[in-house]
Amino acid sequence: QYFQSHLLRFDKKIAQKLITYGLKGHLGSIFQYLNYRFDMYIVALFLSTSQVGIYAVAVGFSEILWMIPNTLGVVITHRAASRPWAEANRITASVTRLTMATMAVGCIVWVFVGKFIIPFLYGTAFIGAVNAMLWLLPGIWFLALWKNLLNDICSRGYPLLKTYSSGVAAIVTIVFDLLLIPKMGINGAALASSIAYALAALMSLFYYCRFTKVKIIDLFLLKKEDIQSTINSLMKTVQVAD
């Protein structure tokens, strides 16, 4: 009975910590979703239903690139939470360098293949999604950086940064949507998203470097060992598969 009551008290404390931690970042998740989708409603407010559909295709095709940071974010979250700060800094910097280099290549590839794949998959009626996608790609790159750094920062006990940065980005998205969509159509919505995503990424970059003392250049300048470690990991994966 003593053990059971003690265990209940322990669980209560853990639950309180988990709830407090979760609430600090949950509002950020709501703002993040608004950044992703609320512009659809503003597009519908100013433009036709067909333009909403075209813009949705541009967004969906661009967001395929987020598979890279979404996958690597699992690695960052686990390592940042379980390793000493110095080791976590090294891992996050290496993963971020690889992520941003890969995302840059992916965005360039999307510029060339998008104008062929989108009409092929959806028809020529959706050709307008190509230009909107081009306006979105810089924001897609920046938000990949935001995802990487926030996975690290939140795991170190700073979930409020997600709320602050995504909240500011949500406000910026709405303001620029209202300014740009009437003038530029769905391209304006895409540009507004890119501006907001860039701002969120720069905020996270500033505070990440401030918290961890990591230099900005260490997060972007790809190193030889990054490529070598990637090749080694791929070779191990192939060997396991065989």
Side-chain angles (χ1 to χ4, degrees), residues 44-202:
L45 178 66
F46 289 104
L47 306 176
S48 64
T49 304
S50 62
Q51 289 295 298
V52 176
I54 294 172
Y55 183 60
V57 168
V59 172
F61 189 74
S62 302
E63 289 180 353
I64 294 174
L65 292 170
W66 281 343
M67 293 176 62
I68 300 168
N70 288 345
T71 302
L72 294 176
V74 177
V75 176
I76 292 177
T77 300
H78 172 72
R79 299 297 173 86
S82 60
R83 301 294 179 87
W85 273 52
E87 179 68 7
N89 289 349
R90 185 190 65 79
I91 294 171
T92 297
S94 179
V95 173
T96 300
R97 290 192 296 267
L98 287 168
T99 300
M100 303 320 299
T102 306
M103 286 293 297
V105 173
C107 287
I108 293 172
V109 171
W110 250 229
V111 169
F112 293 100
V113 305
K115 59 183 177 181
F116 298 108
I117 294 180
I118 289 177
F120 175 76
L121 293 178
Y122 299 98
T124 55
F126 287 85
I127 194 68
V130 175
N131 284 334
M133 178 202 69
L134 297 179
W135 286 105
L136 272 170
L137 286 178
I140 295 295
W141 186 88
F142 272 109
L143 204 65
L145 174 64
W146 181 84
K147 286 172 176 285
N148 265 20
L149 298 184
L150 262 293
N151 281 323
D152 182 299
I153 293 173
C154 290
S155 298
R156 301 198 202 202
Y158 298 98
L160 278 176
L161 183 57
K162 178 179 181 180
T163 297
Y164 295 150
S165 59
S166 57
V168 171
I171 294 172
V172 171
T173 298
I174 294 172
V175 170
F176 277 91
D177 275 340
L178 295 174
L179 292 174
L180 297 176
I181 291 175
K183 298 179 180 180
M184 299 176 59
I186 61 173
N187 292 337
L191 176 57
S193 293
S194 285
I195 294 172
Y197 294 164
L199 179 60
L202 292 175

Side-chain angles (χ1 to χ4, degrees), residues 186-217:
I186 61 173
N187 292 337
L191 176 57
S193 293
S194 285
I195 294 172
Y197 294 164
L199 179 60
L202 292 175
M203 285 183 63
S204 66
L205 178 63
F206 172 79
Y207 283 105
Y208 177 82
C209 292
R210 181 179 177 182
F211 289 152
T212 64
K213 308 304 180 183
V214 173
K215 296 179 180 179
I216 292 178
I217 193 172

